[in-house]
Amino acid sequence: MRITYFLLTPIVILFFSSVLFSQKKWSLDDCINYADKNNLQVQQAQYSSRINEAYLRQAKAQRLPNLSASVNAGYAWGQTFDQARLQQVNGGYYTGSFSTNLNMPLFKGGSLQNSIHQNQLLVEAGNYDVATAKENLNLMIAQVYLQILQLEEQIVNSNNQITSSSEQLKNTKAVSYTHLTLPTIYSV
């Protein structure tokens, strides 16, 4: 157990350090593309859409005929009754059977067409769900991205305000110290 922790600890540290120190600047397009590929809600909507497509293919396949065939063969050894000679005979005999089965729906009250139409609508709805999930995600990312840009701008403005205020303070002190006499400086 200790050996496992001893071996896994450096691997985990190297992995996370490479992830943390290899940061790059992300553009809005990078953020949106990454989120579209990795968001769980988008992936779930895509999977649901694929399931609906599978149901549509299955509904279309129900119109096709079903054909099945089987062949059975065997060999038996033992004592049998020969009906031509009316006596018991020792020996072997072969058995065999063949069968085929063909099922084709002729009419099911329109349920096949309705099922196909229903599944086509489900596929369309699933595609709209995927598009809606992506659009909602993209809007949320754009909103957060704009908030980050606004906060960065506020940081720059705050730094400029600090610089301006410190220079103003320095100028005020310089002007006020030139007009004050020595006893008034100590009282300030």
Side-chain angles (χ1 to χ4, degrees), residues 17 47 49 70 122:
S17 65
Y47 290 140
S49 180
S70 65
L122 286 174

Side-chain angles (χ1 to χ4, degrees), residues 49-173:
S49 180
R50 288 184 198 143
I51 289 171
N52 291 336
E53 290 171 0
Y55 286 150
L56 176 61
R57 286 191 303 273
Q58 183 179 10
K60 287 180 179 180
Q62 288 179 351
R63 293 187 298 185
L64 300 174
N66 295 328
L67 176 65
S68 62
S70 65
V71 176
N72 294 321
Y75 180 76
W77 175 263
Q79 196 174 39
T80 61
F81 184 75
D82 187 3
Q83 292 182 357
R85 291 186 262 167
L86 298 173
Q87 62 182 351
Q88 291 281 343
V89 179
N90 289 331
Y93 60 94
Y94 292 99
T95 61
S97 66
F98 305 98
S99 68
T100 58
N101 187 13
L102 177 65
N103 294 326
M104 182 172 173
L106 296 176
F107 184 69
K108 288 190 171 184
S111 66
L112 292 177
Q113 282 304 110
N114 289 338
S115 176
I116 290 171
H117 184 67
Q118 177 187 5
N119 286 314
Q120 286 173 339
L121 293 176
L122 286 174
V123 167
E124 281 184 45
N127 291 338
Y128 287 130
D129 287 344
V130 170
T132 302
K134 283 185 177 183
E135 288 174 3
N136 289 340
L137 180 66
N138 293 348
L139 286 173
M140 184 179 67
I141 290 172
Q143 182 181 14
V144 170
Y145 192 81
L146 289 174
Q147 286 176 351
I148 291 171
L149 290 178
Q150 183 182 16
L151 290 173
E152 286 178 349
E153 186 175 333
Q154 285 180 356
I155 290 171
V156 169
N157 289 340
S158 296
N159 287 335
N160 290 341
Q161 182 68 33
I162 289 170
T163 305
S164 173
S165 296
S166 64
E167 287 193 20
Q168 185 179 8
L169 178 64
K170 186 172 38 170
N171 290 340
T172 304
K173 283 183 180 179

Side-chain angles (χ1 to χ4, degrees), residues 26-36 138 141 145:
W26 286 60
S27 68
L28 181 59
D29 289 333
D30 292 338
C31 294
I32 289 173
N33 291 335
Y34 181 81
D36 283 345
N138 293 348
I141 290 172
Y145 192 81

